[in-house]
Amino acid sequence: MSKELLREVAFRRFKEKLFAHTLEPGQFLSQRELSEMLDVPLAPMREAVQRLASAGLVRIIAQRGVQILEPSPQMLNEAFELRIILECAAIKTIPLSSISEQLRENEELVLRLQSILVEPLGFERIKEVLSVDWMLHKQLIQAMGNETIESVYNINADKIRLARLRQHFRAEQLYQALDEHMKVIKALLDQDKDTAAAYMELHLKNALTRGLGISNLYRGNNLHEFPAKSHPST
Amino acid sequence: MSKELLREVAFRRFKEKLFAHTLEPGQFLSQRELSEMLDVPLAPMREAVQRLASAGLVRIIAQRGVQILEPSPQMLNEAFELRIILECAAIKTIPLSSISEQLRENEELVLRLQSILVEPLGFERIKEVLSVDWMLHKQLIQAMGNETIESVYNINADKIRLARLRQHFRAEQLYQALDEHMKVIKALLDQDKDTAAAYMELHLKNALTRGLGISNLYRGNNLHEFPAKSHPST
């Protein structure tokens, strides 16, 4: 395999291990350990690690090797603020007719999942809900047709996914999250962009606190307020 | 020097050469040539190149080595769309009182530069205007206090700077750009965020076309429209 290809393989395998819980947030590894674990020679592994560091998924620490990112509350706050800005901009700019079919499919998936969400929640069911959750968000960003923004969004999303690995969800919380999606979807289908953006902002603020044990960081800390938008009355 | 440090040195020296016109957009180099030019051993150079590729400043091409980014009109459009979204979000979220002193200093610099902008324009004068131009934008982003957004913004800004290396400016164009800054600054000092954001959007759209030979890509192409905002009447 060429060196270029090995580097890509290393990058991909690393993310697979990460999102399959084989690598743990906060964990330290030497580059040699990583190279053995991912079955990739050391030189392309070292280069892949630089990419992972650029994407914010690892930190390279002199003499110690590589530390898997352990997202701090501050980092999650920042990542969600970026999400809110990009997703609300997406809602405001995309032609809604171009995604109405995707929205209707999404609506059906949400309804189906909501009808079967009961405790105890298996890992597979949680994964299914989270993947339907991401789908709406990624569809909106993709519909912007801006690869630069899509790449920024996806790197940011990986960090959030990493934090989610440690989240514990109850069926009620996932039901709520899907309910919030329904509100966004319905507003988009009604061509009401302002309401959709306001519901999206609310949903993302809730998502930050839901299940993460982060109890509303926006109050009483020294971070500025999120974009002030009117809350839709429900 | 440690390997970690050499990697950082390589990254920094590369950007210095790039912005000092020693490396040309579109140019191909082998990793060995880069290593010699920047006086950094090959192994850390290879790792630095991965970072540069992540930052979008080079492309790694199998068998050929490294190509210095040559921003396409499409990429510049995307980069400016991201800038508009982030800078308008900054204007809407930051507490204006926190940057009023910076704004007043900026206002004075703009006035001083405008008073001495005459043809023929030397390279140093252009550099001075561009650095005052970036100052306002970066101050607004920094005032958000979100390191994730700042890092995304700076990587995007590097790509735009790279495209600017090939721009030709006339004094009148730079005068206009500074005039647009004045409008943003005055609106911010008046605490009128909506007007400031609208002027900023207009300024950035003008900046994209000014001197780049890109004549309004937003009309008649298949990219969606930028966020629709009311134009301030002047």
Side-chain angles (χ1 to χ4, degrees):
Chain A
M1 223 186 291
S2 75
K3 195 167 169 195
E4 288 79 18
L5 198 53
L6 281 168
R7 198 168 56 217
E8 295 309 314
V9 166
F11 191 82
R12 186 170 43 75
R13 284 191 190 153
F14 179 92
K15 292 224 290 186
E16 280 166 11
K17 297 269 187 215
L18 193 60
F19 294 124
H21 279 255
T22 313
L23 291 164
E24 286 297 321
Q27 186 185 353
F28 279 98
L29 293 104
S30 69
Q31 305 224 22
R32 189 167 300 281
E33 282 170 317
L34 266 181
S35 142
E36 284 164 15
M37 175 186 275
L38 305 180
D39 194 21
V40 167
L42 196 54
M45 189 64 235
R46 281 185 188 284
E47 296 180 20
V49 162
Q50 294 301 315
R51 290 249 179 182
L52 291 165
S54 291
L57 291 175
V58 304
R59 285 197 307 158
I60 301 165
I61 297 173
Q63 319 303 334
R64 287 200 67 175
V66 172
Q67 184 180 25
I68 312 298
L69 176 76
E70 177 147 43
S72 65
Q74 167 83 15
M75 283 174 53
L76 280 171
N77 252 319
E78 292 188 358
F80 271 87
E81 185 179 22
L82 179 55
R83 272 189 81 178
I84 290 176
I85 290 169
L86 294 179
E87 294 191 28
C88 289
I91 288 174
K92 301 241 162 115
T93 59
I94 59 176
L96 293 180
S97 55
S98 70
I99 56 159
S100 59
E101 202 172 321
Q102 288 174 315
L103 289 172
R104 291 202 189 280
E105 283 169 27
N106 217 305
E107 196 179 19
E108 273 176 43
L109 277 170
V110 166
L111 284 175
R112 186 181 64 73
L113 277 174
Q114 279 189 316
S115 71
I116 53 175
L117 269 179
V118 284
E119 309 280 6
L121 272 179
F123 179 62
E124 285 307 313
R125 181 59 31 91
I126 293 174
K127 249 174 61 179
E128 201 182 348
V129 174
L130 291 180
S131 95
V132 168
D133 185 291
W134 277 116
M135 196 189 300
L136 174 67
H137 300 288
K138 296 208 167 179
Q139 282 170 346
L140 290 171
I141 294 294
Q142 272 168 16
M144 296 179 92
N146 181 320
E147 286 172 32
T148 303
I149 290 178
E150 207 178 323
S151 151
V152 163
Y153 184 86
N154 287 337
I155 287 169
N156 196 52
D158 275 347
K159 289 194 233 172
I160 293 170
R161 273 182 80 194
L162 191 55
R164 288 252 169 95
L165 292 177
R166 294 204 164 176
Q167 267 176 289
H168 299 284
F169 291 102
R170 284 175 293 117
E172 190 200 326
Q173 290 176 313
L174 295 181
Y175 192 94
Q176 266 174 19
L178 292 172
D179 228 37
E180 290 163 16
H181 270 226
M182 277 308 249
K183 292 200 169 96
V184 174
I185 292 169
K186 281 186 193 305
L188 288 171
L189 289 171
D190 284 349
Q191 314 281 322
D192 184 350
K193 289 183 163 195
D194 287 339
T195 302
Y199 275 132
M200 181 59 93
E201 184 172 348
L202 197 57
H203 167 57
L204 290 174
K205 286 180 177 176
N206 289 343
L208 176 60
T209 56
R210 193 164 28 225
L212 278 173
I214 298 178
S215 57
N216 216 335
L217 278 168
Y218 304 113
R219 292 189 197 125
N221 72 349
N222 58 4
L223 286 178
H224 56 89
E225 288 279 330
F226 270 16
K229 293 215 182 85
S230 60
H231 274 194
S233 57
T234 43
Chain B
M1 223 186 290
S2 75
K3 193 167 168 194
E4 288 79 19
L5 199 51
L6 281 167
R7 199 167 55 218
E8 295 308 315
V9 166
F11 191 82
R12 186 169 44 72
R13 285 190 191 154
F14 179 93
K15 291 224 290 185
E16 280 166 11
K17 297 267 186 214
L18 193 60
F19 294 124
H21 280 254
T22 313
L23 292 164
E24 286 296 322
Q27 186 185 353
F28 279 97
L29 293 104
S30 69
Q31 304 224 22
R32 189 167 301 280
E33 282 169 316
L34 266 180
S35 143
E36 282 162 17
M37 174 186 275
L38 306 179
D39 194 21
V40 167
L42 196 54
M45 189 64 234
R46 280 185 188 283
E47 296 180 19
V49 162
Q50 294 301 316
R51 291 248 179 185
L52 291 165
S54 292
L57 291 176
V58 304
R59 286 198 306 157
I60 302 165
I61 296 173
Q63 319 303 335
R64 288 199 68 174
V66 173
Q67 184 180 24
I68 311 298
L69 177 76
E70 178 148 42
S72 65
Q74 167 82 16
M75 284 175 54
L76 280 172
N77 251 320
E78 293 188 359
F80 270 88
E81 184 179 23
L82 180 54
R83 273 189 80 179
I84 290 176
I85 290 169
L86 294 179
E87 294 191 30
C88 289
I91 287 174
K92 300 242 163 113
T93 59
I94 59 176
L96 294 180
S97 56
S98 70
I99 57 157
S100 58
E101 202 173 319
Q102 289 174 314
L103 289 172
R104 291 201 189 282
E105 283 168 27
N106 218 303
E107 196 179 19
E108 273 176 44
L109 277 170
V110 167
L111 284 176
R112 187 181 63 72
L113 277 174
Q114 279 188 316
S115 71
I116 53 175
L117 270 179
V118 284
E119 308 282 4
L121 271 179
F123 179 62
E124 284 307 315
R125 180 59 31 92
I126 293 174
K127 249 175 59 179
E128 201 182 349
V129 174
L130 291 180
S131 96
V132 168
D133 186 289
W134 276 115
M135 195 189 299
L136 174 67
H137 300 289
K138 297 209 166 179
Q139 281 169 347
L140 290 170
I141 294 294
Q142 271 168 15
M144 295 180 92
N146 182 320
E147 286 172 31
T148 302
I149 291 178
E150 207 178 324
S151 151
V152 163
Y153 184 87
N154 287 337
I155 287 168
N156 196 51
D158 275 347
K159 289 192 234 173
I160 293 170
R161 274 181 79 195
L162 190 54
R164 289 254 167 93
L165 291 178
R166 296 205 162 173
Q167 268 176 286
H168 299 283
F169 291 103
R170 285 175 291 118
E172 190 199 326
Q173 290 175 314
L174 295 180
Y175 192 94
Q176 265 173 20
L178 292 172
D179 228 36
E180 290 163 17
H181 269 227
M182 276 310 249
K183 292 200 169 97
V184 174
I185 292 169
K186 281 187 193 305
L188 288 170
L189 288 172
D190 284 350
Q191 315 281 322
D192 184 351
K193 288 183 163 194
D194 287 339
T195 302
Y199 276 132
M200 181 60 92
E201 184 172 347
L202 198 56
H203 166 58
L204 290 174
K205 285 180 176 175
N206 290 342
L208 175 60
T209 56
R210 193 164 26 224
L212 277 173
I214 298 177
S215 57
N216 217 335
L217 278 168
Y218 304 115
R219 291 189 200 125
N221 71 351
N222 59 3
L223 286 178
H224 57 89
E225 289 279 330
F226 271 15
K229 291 217 182 82
S230 59
H231 274 193
S233 56
T234 43

